[in-house]
Amino acid sequence: MNKMNLYNETKFIMKKYNIFANKKLGQNFLINEDVVDTIINSAEITKEDLIIEIGPGLGTLTSKLVEKAGKVICIELDKRMINILNDRFSLYNNIEIINDDVLKVDIGNLIKKEKENNNINNAKIVANLPYYITTPIIMKLLEDELDIESITIMIQKEVAQRICAEPGSDLSGAITYGIHYYTNPNSIIEVDKNSFIPEPEVQSEVIRLDILKEKYINVKNPNYMFKIIKVAFMQRRKTLVNALINGKVIDNKEKLEDILEKLNIDKNIRGEKLTLEQFAQLSDKLCN
Ligand code: SAM
């Protein structure tokens, strides 16, 4: 199907069910067949895979996922979409549709059940994410340490660039460190606004995050490390020392400077210049 056909199909479904895109729910429906194919191919789906799709909307990606995967579980907040998905995929017995907020769903439990009951070996996430909650969704997927292999998602280009940047480089942000702690991130393709209806206000990018089976970085308390990183980036123009004192991570400036000296880190450095490994070392010293 070419781009025009997917556009027509999307328009047809929206008209049939009297759907107007809800901006508040980040509803920008994909109408570019090449991008759909790129997402599906990049996810490398097999019949042994459970695919969890977040925000299936009208079912554009879903229609390819049900053909390729062993099982598809869709999580969609908008009830109107649930009716459409139920109609559209009524003949498939490898799909489950959950009407809920993805941030409230126990995805770990869904995966556990599928692995126990079915011929499922791997779980993967595939989604064209709602942009208003991109970061909370990604961080939930990672921090819950789900038993998944990869996450293939469309997100805002700006967030994609932060995610794929090297920690400590100019484009990096607090999220960069979390991503690199849990995954190996890769940019797949940039996607123009005109690949959606309605058009989003920002450019988009498809990325794939491969979950690390063994982490590169050892840290005693990852949550504590992420707290330090967050505080450092909340005041990224300040020195690390000042940011951590202001953020009440530590109240003894001399002790902090002493720790930095022992770690061979310049006491005037900004947090944004630290590598992930340096944050891990600092975290281990501070939570002693
Ligand atoms: N997958 C479709 C596509 O590619 O055309 C729709 C993608 S659209 C960018 C995002 C979808 O996420 C919408 O269908 C929206 O209703 C849904 N959504 C928004 N917030 C959600 C949430 N908290 N939990 C689950 N789905 C959500």
Side-chain angles (χ1 to χ4, degrees):
M1 204 183 284
N2 62 30
K3 183 175 168 182
M4 203 52 211
N5 282 342
L6 188 49
Y7 171 83
N8 284 339
E9 186 182 278
T10 306
K11 281 283 190 194
F12 173 80
I13 296 173
M14 289 176 78
K15 195 163 173 217
K16 181 172 168 198
Y17 290 89
N18 198 21
I19 295 290
F20 295 91
N22 182 343
K23 247 189 163 182
K24 281 193 189 144
L25 289 183
Q27 289 179 349
N28 302 99
F29 303 114
L30 195 49
I31 50 159
N32 184 328
E33 187 74 17
D34 292 337
V35 176
V36 170
D37 287 344
T38 303
I39 294 174
I40 300 294
N41 292 336
S42 314
E44 297 183 291
I45 301 164
T46 76
K47 285 286 173 196
E48 294 181 346
D49 288 339
L50 163 68
I51 300 295
I52 299 186
E53 187 189 7
I54 299 165
L58 307 169
T60 305
L61 288 172
T62 324
S63 65
K64 305 267 169 140
L65 294 173
V66 287
E67 299 295 342
K68 295 230 167 195
K71 169 105 190 238
V72 179
I73 299 183
C74 297
I75 305 170
E76 170 60 61
L77 184 57
D78 188 345
K79 237 193 188 121
R80 302 172 307 162
M81 303 298 159
I82 304 296
N83 292 336
I84 299 172
L85 296 165
N86 278 333
D87 283 355
R88 210 171 160 183
F89 302 110
S90 62
L91 297 179
Y92 288 83
N93 57 12
N94 65 339
I95 182 167
E96 184 180 332
I97 299 161
I98 298 175
N99 183 199
D100 207 341
D101 176 350
V102 65
L103 296 177
K104 296 187 182 148
V105 176
D106 184 348
I107 297 178
N109 198 34
L110 293 176
I111 295 171
K112 192 167 159 248
K113 276 195 198 148
E114 289 305 323
K115 282 201 166 178
E116 279 165 7
N117 297 340
N118 292 311
N119 300 326
I120 295 296
N121 276 332
N122 304 308
K124 295 170 180 167
I125 311 275
V126 177
N128 172 14
L129 284 184
Y131 293 175
Y132 74 104
I133 42 168
T134 304
T135 304
I137 293 176
I138 296 176
M139 290 324 290
K140 173 188 156 79
L141 297 175
L142 298 180
E143 285 170 0
D144 285 357
E145 302 245 12
L146 298 174
D147 180 13
I148 54 175
E149 236 187 26
S150 62
I151 301 174
T152 306
I153 42 175
M154 171 109 70
I155 58 177
Q156 308 93 302
K157 182 183 164 191
E158 200 201 359
V159 181
Q161 285 178 330
R162 269 203 197 297
I163 283 179
C164 295
E166 271 307 309
S169 68
D170 287 348
L171 278 176
S172 69
I175 193 175
T176 315
Y177 293 82
I179 294 288
H180 283 256
Y181 177 70
Y182 291 108
T183 79
N184 182 18
N186 279 296
S187 163
I188 306 286
I189 190 179
E190 195 178 324
V191 179
D192 196 82
K193 293 175 190 178
N194 66 13
S195 292
F196 306 85
I197 46 170
E199 286 191 11
E201 275 154 25
V202 292
Q203 288 290 99
S204 301
E205 196 164 315
V206 177
I207 60 165
R208 175 169 149 164
L209 308 173
D210 289 308
I211 308 298
L212 296 175
K213 290 196 176 77
E214 277 184 40
K215 301 202 168 49
Y216 298 132
I217 300 292
N218 277 320
V219 61
K220 285 182 205 153
N221 185 341
N223 288 340
Y224 187 71
M225 176 179 75
F226 291 129
K227 186 181 157 196
I228 295 175
I229 293 172
K230 245 179 226 156
V231 171
F233 272 86
M234 270 187 321
Q235 307 178 58
R236 66 185 290 166
R237 297 289 158 218
K238 290 214 161 77
T239 64
L240 175 68
V241 170
N242 285 340
L244 296 190
I245 297 282
N246 290 344
K248 302 201 183 337
V249 169
I250 184 169
D251 53 14
N252 186 335
K253 191 171 178 177
E254 274 173 23
K255 188 179 164 200
L256 179 55
E257 287 181 345
D258 191 44
I259 291 174
L260 290 177
E261 197 180 327
K262 285 199 178 105
L263 293 175
N264 254 332
I265 300 173
D266 179 356
K267 68 175 186 201
N268 294 317
I269 198 170
R270 288 184 191 159
E272 61 182 4
K273 293 290 167 212
L274 258 64
T275 63
L276 178 56
E277 199 162 15
Q278 286 173 321
F279 269 118
Q281 290 167 344
L282 179 61
S283 167
D284 282 356
K285 291 267 184 225
L286 286 175
C287 71
N288 259 338

